[in-house]
Every structure is written in C-alpha cells, then in structure tokens.
Amino acid sequence: MDIRAQVSMVFHLDKCIGCHTCSIACKNVWTDRPGAEYMWWNNVETKPGTGFPTLWEDQSHYKGGWELKGNDSNKKLQLKSQNKIDSFLKLFYNPNQPGLEDYYEPWTYNYANLFEAEAGDDQPTAIPVSLITGEPMEIEAGPNWDDDLSGSTLYAENDINLEELSEEEREQLFEIERVSMMYLPRICNHCANPSCVASCPSGALYKRGEDGIVLINQDVCRGWRACISACPYKKIYYNWKTGKSEKCILCYPKLETGQIPNCFQSCVGRIRYLGVLLYDADRAAESMKVPDKALVESQRTAFCDPFDPKIIEAAKANGISDEFIKAAQLSPVYKYVMKWKIALPLHIEYRTMPMLFYVPPLLPVMGKMANGIYTNAMENFFTSLDKSRLPMKYLARLFSAGNEDIIEYVMKKLMAVRYYKRSLDMQDIDLVMMNKMMREGGTTPAEAEEIYRLTAIPTIDQRFVIPEIQREESIESSCNPEICKGSCGIGITQPPARGF
Amino acid sequence: MTNTLLFIVLPYLAVFACVIGSIYRTRKEPMSYSSLSSQFLENHGLMWGSLPWHLGILLILLAHILAFVCPGFWQTLTSNQVLLLSIEAAGFGLSILCLVGLVILAIRRLTSPRIQAVTTPMDLFVIALLLAQVALGAAMAVHCKWGSAWCSGTTTPYLWSLLLFQPDLSTIEDLPLIAKSHIVCAWLFILIIPFSRLIHLFAVPLEYLFRPPQNVVWNNSRKLKEECSAFVAEDTRRHFLKAALGIGFGAFLLSVGTLNKVFNFFFGPRLSKKEETELMEVKLAHLESTVDQRKLELERQASNYIMVAALSELNQSSGKYFIDYQMQPAIAFKGKDGLPLLISAKCTHLGCTVGNKVDEQGRILCPCHVSYFNIETGQPNAEAPAKAPLGHLSWVIMDERGSILASRNLEGKTACSVNQQALANGKVYIAKSQEDKT
Amino acid sequence: MSFSNTETVENSKDLKQIDLKLKTNLSLIAFASSLALSFMTANPAQAYPEYQAFVEKNSKRSINCAMCHINEGGPVGNSKGQIGSLSEEELKLLSKARIAFEPGSDVHSPILNEFGNKIISAVGKKKFLEYKTSPEKLAAALGNESDLDTDGIPDAQEYLDGTDPLNKFHGEPVKLFWINLNRCKTHVILTVLAVISINFGLLSLVKGISSIKKK
Amino acid sequence: MSLNSVINSTFQFVKDRFPVEKLNYHSMVEKKEVPVHKMSWGYYTGGLTMFFFMIQVVTGLFLLFYYQPTVSEANVSVEYINKYVAGGSLIRNMHAWSSSCMIFCAVLHLLTAFAMKSFVKPREITWIAGVLLLFITFTFGFTGYLLPWNQIAVNATKVGLQSIEYIGEYLPGQLADVPRIIRETFQGEASVGQSTLGRFYALHVVILPLTLVSLLGLHLLSVQIHGMSQGVDKPAKKSEKFMSIFIFKDLSLWAFIFLCLFTVSMCIPFESFLPYPLLAPYNPLGSTPAGIKPEWYFFFVYYPLEMLPFWVILLASMILVGVLILTPWIFKGASRKTLGFLTILASLYLVVMTIFGEQIYELFKH
Amino acid sequence: MFNWKNSPRQHFHRYFPAILVTAICCFATSANAQNTNQLFTEKCAGCHTVGGGALVGPDLASVSSWNVSDLRSAVKRMEQSAGPLKDEEVDALVDFLKQQNNLPSPATKNKETSKTTQEQPETSQILELASSENGKKLFTGQTALQNGGLSCIACHQSNGRGGNMGPDLTLITKKFPGNALVSGIEKTPYKVMKSAYKAHPVTHQEALDIAAYLNETAKIETKHERTSPLTVGAGIALAVLGLIAFGYRNRKGSARANLKRRK
C-alpha cells in the first residue's frame, strides 16, 4: 500500500454559468506571453460542442490516453500515441500532434490605426493582426468559438459524445428553440496515472509526490512534443516561441502559500471545490485495467478513507504530514466523490485516472417537461430522467464511460436533495412521498441536508481545504534551492527566449 | 597553408569548440537545448521534409562513423563486391532522400510566414550548409564513386592521425576538390553544433527506453527519507559517472600512448641489415672474450706452465696483467734486479683488481679504497684499509726449448742458471706445481 | 727510468693538499705522459692526457681513454683498438689520419673511436696539438652542430661534461631531462592528461563512495 | 616450565596475532578504517612501496623477454633492450628508477611505522615481516645490480661478496670459514663469473620474488587483520573507510607517482649519473676502474665502512639488525615522543650519509 | 601536341619541355641500350614515358634537346623519388635520354611501334611470373593485399567495374607496357595513391599479378554493369518515400477542416 495525497478538485456543473472569468483569471496570470497567446490552461466549453482544441475528445484522431491491451490474465495499459520504439521515430514528426489550425491563430487588433489613420471618408478600423507573424489575418477560430452554439449544426452536431445517440434523439436534442446545453470548465486533471508523464522522452514531466500536481521541468524539456498528443484532454500546450511544452500548474505558487488557485478563487458561480484525496498509488494504474463501464467504480476503490486509522498510519509512514491528513478528512472532494458519490471524473475511459471530478448538471435534465414548465408530478419523480433534454447517454459518455446507471444514480440523488429542500421550504410534498423519494434517490434527510449545505451555501473554507504545504521549507531542507530551481512548471532558470 | 588551415586547424578548432561549447550550452543554457520544433506552426510540409531527412542522415552518419571507427571491419565489408555495391547504392539512395527532405525543409522555411517568425539566420545557414554537404556527398557518389571503399585508405587514416595528435595530410591532400570540400563542410558542421539548433544531436532521449513510465518527484518528509537519498544517489551516480569517464578517458589516453609501444616491445625490433651486423659484431666480440676466458681456464687446468710474457716485455713502471692458476688477476713487473716480479693483483682488502702503474715510491694503487702496495714487499701503506700484503707469485724462465733458465719459489728463493744476457731472451712462466703448494 | 727526489716530494705534498683520488689520477696521468714522451722517439704514437685531465677536472667525473680511443687503455698496446694489433691496412689508415693537419679531412683512424675521428676531422691535427695547452678551446672549436649519439647534447658539451659522446643514454642528467622532456612531450602530456583524468575519476569515485556511506 | 606450557603460550601468541574471528572479508576489508590525523601520510608509504614493487614485477617481466643471463650475452642483451627494442630503454629505466624508489619508500615506511609505534602488540609479526621485506628489498638491489654485467656491476659485486668473507676474520676458530663458504656458495666459482651471474639471476628473478611475495602476503594479512595502528597518542577524531576511500586515495597517489616515474624514466637514463667508464662491458683482464662506489642506498653503510674499522661497522650492523627485529619488545614501553626523536635522528643520519657521505669521507681522510 | 591536362605537377615542365621523339629504336641498336632501357623502366617508367605521353611525370621525349649537365642534374634530382642512383646509372640514363634526339618520329607511329616491339617480350615475362587469376582477385579485393592496402577496384575501373576516382585501367597496358606497369603498381608514385600506400606497400608479386590481370583485361571486350548503384539508390530513395507515405497515410489532418456540416 502506497498511500499518497492528491490535491483534487470538484466542479459543480449545475452552478456554472459559462462566464469565462476563470479562463481570464488564469490567462492574465500565466499565459499572457509570446508563444503562449493561444494557450488556455483553463477554458470553458459549451456542451454539446467540439471544444478546444477542436474535437479534442476524438482519440481516434489525437491518440491520447491509455489503451487496455492484453488478455484477461495479463492486462496492460499502453500509451495510445506511441510505444517505446516508435516514439523515437515520432521525434522527427509526430503524426498526432494538433497544429495551430486545431486551436486558433492568436491575434490582436491594430489599434494604433484608430488613432493614426489619415482622415478619410470611412471610419478607421482596427484590423486583426496575427500574434505570430504580425501580418493582417482573417479570424477563423478562437478559444471559445462555439460558445453557446449548442444547437449549431457545425459545432454541436459534431460533438463526439453524441455518437451513440439515435437519429431521433439527436433531432430531439437539437430541436429549434428548445436546445439545451451545459458548460464544461476544464483545467488539467492532474491525473493519478498521467499519460503525458509516461510519454515524455526526456523525463521532463513529473508528478509532485506530495500533492500530485503534474508539472513540466522547462530545463529538461527538449520539445519532443510527445506529451501533447499523449494527453487525452489536450491540456498540454506547445510554446512555439520557446520550443517547450507548458501546462496548468494548479497555481502551485499560490497553493504552497495556502492561497486558492486563480481560477478557483475567481469563479463567479462558486462551482469549484478543492481538497485533498488520499489514494493508493499501487492501485492507481491497476484500477484502470477494467472494462470501460466499471471504471468509475474501480477508480473509487483506489481512494482511501482518511478516517481509517490503518490508512492514516500508512499515510504517515509514507511521509504524508498531519496537515494533509487533516485536510483529507475535511476535504469537500472526498465528500462529493466518495461519501455521496455524486462527483464523476471526465472521460474516465482514457484511463489516466483524472483527479478532477464533475457533479453532472441537473438543470438541462429538469428542463424538459411536457409543456415546458416544472411540475411536481409526485407519482413518478424521476420520469424526467428518461425524457431528459440532455440524454443520459450523452452524460454517461462524458462522465461515466457510457455507464448510464451511474449517471442515473447521481441524478436521482441530486433530484432527491432538491425535492427534499423544496418540501422543507414549500411544504408541498407529503412525508411518506418524501421518504419514498429519498429511498429511491439513495439518500437520507441528513445527507441531503449536508449535500445541500456544501452545494448551495458553503463558506470559502469549506470549498477550499488547502493543507499547509510549506514546499519552500521542505525543498530547502532536502535540496539546494539553486539546484531545484528549474524543477517547476514554468519556473525557468532562463528567460523564455531562444538564441542561436 | 590553406590545407593546414582547413584540415588541421579547422578540425581541432571545430572539435574543441564543439566539445566546450556543447558542454557549456548543456550546463548553462539547458533551456535552449533543443531543436525548436516548428511542427506546431506548420504541419504538412514537415512530414515530407523532416522524416526523409532524419532517416537518411542518421543511417548515413552511422555508416560514416562505422567506417572511421572500425576501418578494418569496414574494409572487409567493402571488399565484398556485392556488399560494396549495396552500400554504395544505399548510401546514394539515402543521400537523395536527405536531399529531398532538406529541399522541402528549406522551401518550407523560406515560404511559410509562421515559420519565419521562429527562424534565425543561423537556421538558414545550417540548412544551407547541410544542403551543400549532402549535395557534395551525393556528387561524390557519382564522380568519385565507391567512396565507401577508398575512404579507408584516405580519409580514415587522416581522421585517425588527427585523433592521435599527429596530423597527417598526405592521404587527403591529393583528393579531388569535391571530397576535400566534403571534409571541410563536415568540420564546419561540427564547428557550428553548439551555436545552432544542431545541438539537439546530443539530446537523443535514450533514457526513455529504460525509465519507468511514471515520474514522481517528492518534496515532503518522504522525500527527505527516501528520495533525498535518491538525490544523493543521483549525486553519487554523477560522481560515479565522472569517475568512469575520468578513468576511462585516462585509460584511453594511456593506451593511445602505450599499447602500441607495449605491443612493439613484445613484437621485438625489426633491425636493418646494418644494425644487425653491428649487433652481431658486438656479440661476437663478447663471445670471443668469453672464449678467451674459457681458454685461459682450460690452459690453467691442463698445462703445468703458463706463459706470462717474454722477459723483455716486462718493465719496472707498468705491470702486465695476467691471470694466475686461481683465475685471479696478477701483475708482472721487472724487478730492480732485472728478474721478473710477479705479484697478485687482488687487493687483500676487498678483492679489487689493483692498478698496474707503479708510482714514484714504487707502489701500485688499488682504486677501490685507495691502498698503496709496495711491489717489492707487497705491503700496503700504513693508512690503507688493506692490512695484509699482496702475495708474490713464483715463476720460472724458460727458453724456447723448454729448459728452465731461472726460477723463484714462493719463499722468494731465486735460482738462476744462466747470466742476465741469456735470460733476456727467455720467457716468464708460472708453474702449476708451485702454485698448488699454496 | 727514475724520478728525481724533488719531484717525489712535490707530488707527495700535493697529494695531501688536493683531492686524493683526483690527484692519484693526475699523478698517474703525469706518469703516463712522461712515459709517453719517453716513447716519442721510438714510437710515433701519442696520447694526450691533458685532455683527460681537463675533462676530469672540469666535469668532476672520471673518464678514461675510451672517450676518444677505441681501447679504454689508450692507443698503445696489443689489444683490440691499440696500435699493436693493427693490420697492414689499418696502419695505412692510421698514418693517413696522423697527417690530417688541416680540418675537414676524412679521418678513419683505427685506434680512435667515432668521437676521436670527429675531433681530428673537425679541428685538424695541427690545432689539436695546439689546444693541448688549453683543452677548453677544443670544445669551442668542435662547435655545437655535431651530436654523434643524437641525445640532444652536442659533442662539445658532452666533452666538457665528461659524459660519453657516443652513448645516447649518457649525459648530464639535468640537460638530458629537459631535452628528452621536449622530445617526448606528446607522451608526457598524454600521460599527464591521463593521470589527471584518472585522478579526477578516482577522486570522484571517493566522493561517490563517501556519499553512499553518508546515506 | 613444561613443554606443554611452551606450546600453549606459543599457540596463544599466534592466536593473538591471527585471531580466527577476524579472518574474514568483512572485518579485514569492509570494516577496516584508517585514522585521519597529521601523520596520516605515513599510511601511504607502505602502499607506495608495494606499488613500486608491482612496477618492478611488471617491468621485470618485460625485461625477461630479452635479457640473457650469460657473461657473453648479458651486456649485449641489455644494450639490445636499450638501443633497439621499442620502449626498451623506458622499461629498463623504469625498472632502475623504481627500484631506487622502492627502497626509498621501504625505508620511509620503516621509519614512519617506527615513529608511529605501529609495532606493539598485536602487530609484532607485521613489523618483523616488514623488516625481513626490507632486507629482501636490499638483496634485490644487490642481485639486480650484477645483471647488466658491466664494469661497475661486476666490480661492485666482487667488493660486496668479498666483504662477506671479511667477516670471517672476526669469527673464532672453525666459524671463521663460514663466511668464506657463504661467499663461495653465492659466487659459485673462484671469481665472479658465469656461475655467479646464474645464481644472482635465479635469486633476482625467482627466489627473491617468491620469498618477497609470501612475506608480503603475511605482512598484508596481518595489516588487514589488525587494521591501521592508531599512530598518534590521542585517538584520531576522524577516520575514513579503508574500502574504498583509502584504497582509491592510494590509487590516485599511485597514479601521480606513476606519472613522475614515467616522466623521469622517459627523460633521464639512470646511467647518466655514473661516470661512463663504469658502464662499459666488464673486462676480466682490466683493473677495477676508478670512481667505483655502490648504489646510493648503500651509502649509509658504505662511507662509514670506508672511515671506520670493519669490526665497528660489523658490530653496528649486527646490533642494528638485532634491534630492528626485536623492536616490538625493546621499544614496547617507549613513548611516541621518544620514538619520534629516535626516528628523526635515524633519518638525519641516513640523509646526511647518503647526500654528504662523500664529503664527510673526504674530510675524514685528511 | 601535348596533353597538359593530364600532367599535375606543372613545375616539372620547367625541366622537361615537350617534344615528341621516339624511344624505341634504341632497343634494337645495342645491347647496352637494352640494359639502359631496363634501367629506365625500373627507375623512371613508373612516372615517365619517352614519347608515350605524360603520366604522373611529363613525357621525357623532349629532354634530348637539353645540354648534358642540365640533364644530369635533373636526373640526379629525381633521386628523391627513384631512390639513389649511381653515377654510372645517371650517365646511362642521360645517354639514353640524349639518344632519343637522333630518331625522327611522328607520335602516332611511335605509339604503334611501342606496342609491337616493346610490349611483347616484357608481357610474356610478366605472364611467366604471375597469375592473372590472382591478379583479378587482388584487383577486385576478393583477396586482400598482403600489407593491407586498398584493393585497386576502390578507385579504378577495369572491365567496366570499379570506382572512378582514379583513371580507368582497362586499357592501361597500351599506355604503360610491361615492367613500367609493374613498377607503377609497386611504387605507386601517383598522387592519391602515394600516401595511401606508403604504409601499406604493394609487394612485387602482387604487382606482377595485378599487371598480368590488367594485361588480360586489355584484350577482353569491356562489359558494362547492367544496373548502376546510382539507379538502385534512387530507387531506394523513392521506395523509402513511398514507405513514409504509406506509413503515415492515416495521419491527422486539421480537425477543424474535418468538421462536417450535418444536414
């Protein structure tokens, strides 16, 4: 048993309003540099939609993540993008690497023209110019080009997660004026079994042992770009100016000083939760060796109960500090993921064991009623699930590798909590009904109350339980800071400019 | 002069700059230590450029290195006609492949505005140089074909001579211009490695083959406990690497200087006729002197009388050495009485051979510890380390017919049968019977 | 042959004053020279002990006749390389060598070794006889070009040092050291580099091992 | 005192010197530590001596390829090695130089060991083996000197052997003949000749090396068993592992010494210190050439021998040998200070006699 | 009149201005001349001809117009290449070269005669001592040269096979008859070869064998290789390009370009 602590996250999608504040907060701090203009370590996508980079979920195309190989007795996880030998051939040319055209060409506007243009008949305009070449350009795409375009025939309909939907269901989904959509904010999942780390030929990518943050050592990175195609979430970006890859660093400089990462802090909807999860590293890769539909359950078997004395002992033996264990016990993530089991990983079928969990949105589901209004049809509380605007199949593709039972369980619980609170406030549901509903939803009044409290009215300390990391001190006590200077995400020992 | 500059100065300069520059750049600018991929900016042309180029040049370089490092093996390979033809064909094919790739890369770099945003003049120079180099190589395959065969007699010895710090241009200075330019370009190529994107040559991520898939860096107390020691182990490994490098390089240097010598030592010299003759003469002389020595011994075993000298040859001032019956040196003088005076030359101190020159006081000197012996009495001087006197030897004088004319025994008793005049023609002998008594 | 008393007294005085061994040699030499002089009329062979004396005094090394002669006992005698053992033809050569009064003639005297012949052909018999009184001039007359044994020290210098001009492995140690160091600098540098490198390696090894031990 | 108790005490003596429980790799090599203090350099002298011995073995084997031990061939073969064989002169010079260095280091080792009081219980055996090794080393020098068969070699050997016979004059009665018999056994014939050469050759190439190696084995074994001696009065605060820190430091010193030896051998033929008449092939009919003296490492006994009566030297050397062998018991109680003082005296004597011996001798004569 | 292109060492021309004179008739004239001719072939013919055109060194036909002392010093100067020459030998060579003057000769005729008169005796002599079979093996490198030199075929063609850095040797015996060829092979005084074979000399027997083989090749009709390695090489290049195209046929195009508008 190799107990490790992971700073993990829960995004409550019901609360996301798609305002992109998180993206901007991140951009302003981390990626506002030449070469990084097109990077969005945090972005918010509209679902159904193709996302950023376009169609990133299409792994037949990008070859990200792990593949389950071998027979029943000897199952192996293998990188989809490369094996050890052909990775050397891919140094010269990587056929799966997304190019600039898969993202967008970053641009600015020639604002000076507004002031400096000579007097003429027409209003002077600020024409877009490329941030790469400096030439005037046509804008063809942007980081959230398909924002709110859920009904679009180009973007929404090409969503790869809609593959299994029948033609009927699709048509129903994209019915004019009744489209439904959800927002999906994404940052790096800081996976427990990251494929990007495994793919890096130079060994520049690494996972921090004490908090599980995945980082790239810029001094070791040689720009072979294997990680870019290996990451199924396309959350590693290539800096064309420095020739190195970069990725979300979970604002570790803030985390280390007990502060909240930028995107978390700035979230308007307060959808984000951050806390420590204890997991068994020996089980991390093992638990990913099961059939797709069992993955969510299997992943949960790798997580540990922070209250179990045995686990605490093992964790301490492994160097996990008391602060971390305490944070794990208070962790909102543990509650969502393990206690209530209503937060699910995104695309667990990539088998990287992502450590960012989403509470699936209930609103688009509830939105479908016969006449477009909510009713309290008491006889069959959960009928709306079958007739959901956003089919369960679709959500299952996103959050449970196609296992609709899990989604249904989550939805029922969420709905039960909602009805429970409603019954308390409105008093329009009788107790027997309520109890029956709570049973069907798999919850209890106490739990429902707890869920409600953490979801709707949490304090900032409840949302973000950040342990005392004190990394500087521990670095100083174990390694010369001068030597370890380059071993952080973008903490480079040299300016990001290339000579020669 | 030009040749020296291009083929001796340039290579050393290039290799020196390459080694020092690369080490500097790896250590001080690890950030810039890659080739700055442009696939992100331009995806399509790169495949047709990069893949053929890298595939071709890697195999060609491998062949070049093989030819230079194992010239013997390479010569065996190329002496097989079929193999030679295959090597030539493959080499030419690969150079064409390289050319195709390079041209596409060049076009791509010159036409795509996005790529120009990350292009430096050095990149263009590198492409131009590589184009020239590969074109020269391909041209050699046409105009000086079977270079894979003739290189082992020309460029390989040249490179080895450079490696051994004994630059020898003779093997390449008469090569056609194409070949010489190819060599110069190669040195230029090495020269610019640390100053250009070519540095990525040394970034081959071989460790990827051996490392575990996940890479975890610890920085909590677990790190202190385990991974801190891993850091120390890393440090240790670095030390061991340095040690291996140092010892290996030292051993290499030593063997460069000595292996050849050691081999030649055991192989033995190959003497010229003249040297051999000289040596034989010396050997013969030594053998002859040994033979003389043995003859003397034999004579002393066999004959009763040993001739010392003719009486007329002896004088008072300078003695004549001879060997007595005990195989010890002795000196023969002429005494004041005109009769022979035979005295042992073995110093009674530590057995040195006493000198034969008589000084003004009628003494002879043992040079070892400076004892003066009076030749008349045999007594050493008072301060001498030698205490015992030198012994006198008995002698006889015989004429040609063997009749004894005079004799002296060990007690110093002299018997003389004829007059001085008659004695003058006699010869002095020592006698066995007399000696045996002592 | 007899010696006057005065000479003997002087000699014995000298003996006490000056270095004993050297003096012995000197006396021997003086004796030999007088001996040689006495032979002058009967035997044209000459030995030039002044030179030997000079060299021994100058260099503080003892030498014998073999510096210039074939036989270590000098020119006179019946052994190999001495006049007594010469054949008809060799005698002719000897006489030819003896009349080589001017420098530059080709001398192959059978009693002289290479160096002796070199002296006569380079200096000429006439000058050679003149220098007898000031043997140090001989070195200047020999010049610095000739180095018969190729050890890097010119013959003239070896003559002054009292080292064997015909033995490559004999010379003033300090001079030989610098000359040979210059000659074998490749090897020495290679070895220095090798040793530096090996020592670097060994010290790293020590560091490596001690860092293991610390752990 | 019964026989039994004698046997028992002998057994106990050996048991103390070679304790079985320490006869294993772990305690002999892995656990062994070398103290670090201001006299630590002394610990390196022994290794250095061994290094020179190793050089001697290697170069000696090289020379064996060409050397021929006969009176007619010996000198020519040496000349052949010198002149014609590639690297021959280098090998020969190395052999010669390193022999001198080996003796120097051996004496230095003896002196440091003495000063550091490294001979007390349980290291008596180490000390005695070491003293014997030193004698053997000197014998090596003596026997090897003859092999080139040139003037100085043969004459020096003659003198050396004759000195043995000289001892006889001081022995009573029947014993007086013993030294002569010893000399004749070594000499093999009436004067130094082919038989002597053969015997010396056998001694130098086979017998002495074998003896030395076996004694060296004993010496090293006991050194490893008991570890390095404390060396100074106060136990050293620091110590380093013998394996592999000390070993590698030793190796690195060896490498440096090798460089010096190599350079010197490359550049200075060791003959160049001698007047060259001595290097001519031995001439049995000639007189002993002037300027003859032994190798420098015999100066400390040679010059006194020249100055003082023989019996004084004889007595002194016998006492010296006795004292050397019995040192562990004689100086058992002596303090390191006393030993250091004695060592300084001894080394002063050695240095003065070796460097200024000749001048002293000249002064003495007048 | 004179092929300047083939003479690399231009400075020699100061000593040997070009005039074509025949060398051959001397053969018939005297036994002494025969010896001299032998001497010439041994010492000089590796690099020079008399009236046969320039090889490594220039044609010596012209030198007969020189005065004797110049010629002597010129011959003497060649000692560094040809090895020590005795005075008699120098004289003989000077005489030999001087004699060429007497004989009128158009170049073409000269070459004719050289083939018929000079070649025959020596050729047969070579064939006696040598095996052209071995020669072929040596030439093509099937057997390695004894001292480790490169086999001829690395740089020379014979019978349409071989390298082209050096000249084609198929018809070399026409230019370089008999002993001249042997000595040329043995001494290798040519520009690239000189240094390459310095450390790996060709033995006399090998030279004989190779000469014998070359003698034969002159008679056989030249066969040309059917496929040049260059064509094969170009084929290989094409094949690899094809392979790349095949291997990456499924590579990713632009994802956005692949977005299809559903209808």
Side-chain angles (χ1 to χ4, degrees), chain E residues 18-159:
Chain E
I19 306 167
L20 285 175
V21 178
T22 179
I24 313 311
C25 297
C26 312
F27 259 92
T29 50
S30 70
N32 186 28
Q34 195 83 41
N35 288 342
T36 317
N37 195 54
Q38 188 71 28
L39 188 66
F40 182 82
T41 40
E42 273 172 20
K43 299 281 184 190
C44 321
C47 306
H48 299 280
T49 63
V50 178
L55 301 171
V56 175
D59 192 333
L60 298 185
S62 60
V63 301
S64 54
S65 63
W66 294 17
N67 68 42
V68 176
S69 63
D70 282 358
L71 200 50
R72 268 192 69 88
S73 62
V75 171
K76 197 74 183 155
R77 204 176 289 124
M78 290 312 288
E79 276 191 338
Q80 45 189 324
S81 323
L85 295 168
K86 283 185 222 135
D87 284 353
E88 307 92 65
E89 287 174 336
V90 174
D91 288 340
L93 285 171
V94 168
D95 286 347
F96 174 75
L97 291 169
K98 273 314 260 190
Q99 275 170 23
Q100 318 308 321
N101 198 17
N102 308 330
L103 307 157
S105 60
T108 44
K109 190 191 166 194
N110 168 18
K111 278 186 179 163
E112 283 296 302
T113 27
S114 83
K115 229 187 283 174
T116 48
T117 56
Q118 195 174 3
E119 192 187 340
Q120 289 308 333
E122 292 189 350
T123 309
S124 59
Q125 189 192 339
I126 287 168
L127 289 177
E128 270 168 33
L129 292 165
S131 126
S132 69
E133 197 53 40
N134 285 345
K136 184 176 181 181
K137 281 182 184 161
L138 289 169
F139 191 93
T140 56
Q142 275 169 284
T143 22
L145 290 175
Q146 196 184 320
N147 291 327
L150 282 174
S151 52
C152 318
I153 202 158
C155 303
H156 295 286
Q157 280 192 15
S158 131
N159 241 337

Side-chain angles (χ1 to χ4, degrees), chain B residues 165 229 232-233 236 239-240 242-243 245-247 249-251 253-254 256-257 261 317 357-358 360-361 365 370 372, chain C residues 3 8 11-12 20 24 28 31 35 187 190-191 193-194 197-198 200-202 204-205 207-209 211-212 215:
Chain B
F165 298 108
S229 64
V232 173
T236 313
H239 282 308
F240 281 127
K242 276 186 196 166
L245 265 179
I247 292 173
F249 185 62
L253 283 180
L254 268 189
V256 163
K261 286 222 152 172
S317 55
K357 301 279 194 278
V358 184
E360 300 83 351
Q361 298 160 10
L365 167 73
V370 198
Y372 289 93
Chain C
F3 295 95
T8 321
N11 264 338
S12 58
L20 178 77
T24 324
L28 275 173
F31 171 69
L35 197 83
H187 272 101
L190 268 182
T191 319
L193 285 179
S197 163
I198 285 180
F200 169 75
L202 285 174
S204 310
L205 209 57
K207 277 187 202 159
I209 290 168
S211 66
I212 286 184
K215 200 174 71 185

Side-chain angles (χ1 to χ4, degrees), chain A residues 50 54-55 61-62 93 95 97 101-103 141 153-154 157-158 170, chain E residues 244 247-248 250-263:
Chain A
T50 51
T54 311
L55 285 178
H61 188 109
Y62 288 111
Y93 176 79
Q97 183 194 338
E101 56 279 357
D102 293 316
Y103 301 91
T153 46
L154 184 61
E157 291 198 4
N158 274 304
R170 275 170 187 265
Chain E
I244 292 172
Y248 284 114
N250 289 333
R251 79 185 170 125
K252 201 186 73 59
S254 163
R256 193 172 304 125
N258 293 348
L259 281 186
K260 278 170 288 194
R261 203 165 274 274
R262 283 183 168 271
K263 261 283 115 207

Side-chain angles (χ1 to χ4, degrees), chain B residues 114-157:
Chain B
R114 279 187 198 163
I115 293 187
Q116 277 167 3
V118 289
T119 300
T120 60
M122 191 44 124
D123 290 341
L124 297 177
F125 177 70
V126 166
I127 287 197
L129 181 73
L130 291 177
L131 258 178
Q133 178 70 333
V134 178
L136 281 169
M140 280 219 296
V142 179
H143 287 291
C144 312
K145 65 180 186 180
W146 296 20
S148 48
W150 57 252
C151 74
S152 46
T154 51
T155 40
T156 308

Side-chain angles (χ1 to χ4, degrees), chain B residues 265-399:
Chain B
F265 182 89
F266 290 118
F267 189 60
R270 292 290 170 265
L271 300 181
S272 67
K273 278 262 154 23
K274 192 171 151 257
E275 285 169 332
E276 215 151 302
T277 326
E278 276 173 12
L279 196 67
M280 289 304 269
E281 272 171 8
V282 178
K283 276 189 182 174
L284 196 64
H286 280 275
L287 272 177
E288 271 167 1
S289 79
T290 315
V291 167
D292 288 345
Q293 182 86 359
R294 293 283 172 273
K295 271 185 184 160
L296 279 176
E297 279 170 35
L298 188 65
E299 199 184 0
R300 271 144 195 76
Q301 291 288 332
S303 52
N304 286 331
Y305 295 101
I306 304 288
M307 198 192 83
V308 174
L311 187 56
S312 55
E313 282 175 18
L314 298 178
N315 60 57
Q316 292 183 358
S317 55
S318 171
K320 185 180 187 319
Y321 283 111
F322 66 95
I323 304 289
D324 68 10
Y325 268 100
Q326 257 101 46
M327 290 307 292
Q328 301 293 352
I331 316 177
F333 295 95
K334 189 180 263 180
K336 281 184 182 144
D337 53 0
L339 288 173
L341 184 67
L342 270 55
I343 189 164
S344 163
K346 191 183 163 193
C347 176
T348 52
H349 177 219
L350 288 175
C352 288
T353 306
V354 180
N356 65 342
K357 301 279 194 278
V358 184
D359 69 4
E360 300 83 351
Q361 298 160 10
R363 303 182 306 182
I364 48 177
L365 167 73
C366 171
C368 292
H369 305 96
V370 198
S371 307
Y372 289 93
F373 295 95
N374 190 312
I375 58 167
E376 296 289 342
T377 61
Q379 285 295 345
N381 61 335
E383 313 89 65
K387 298 299 172 218
L390 290 178
H392 283 101
L393 275 72
S394 61
W395 49 262
V396 294
I397 298 179
M398 291 196 278
D399 61 9

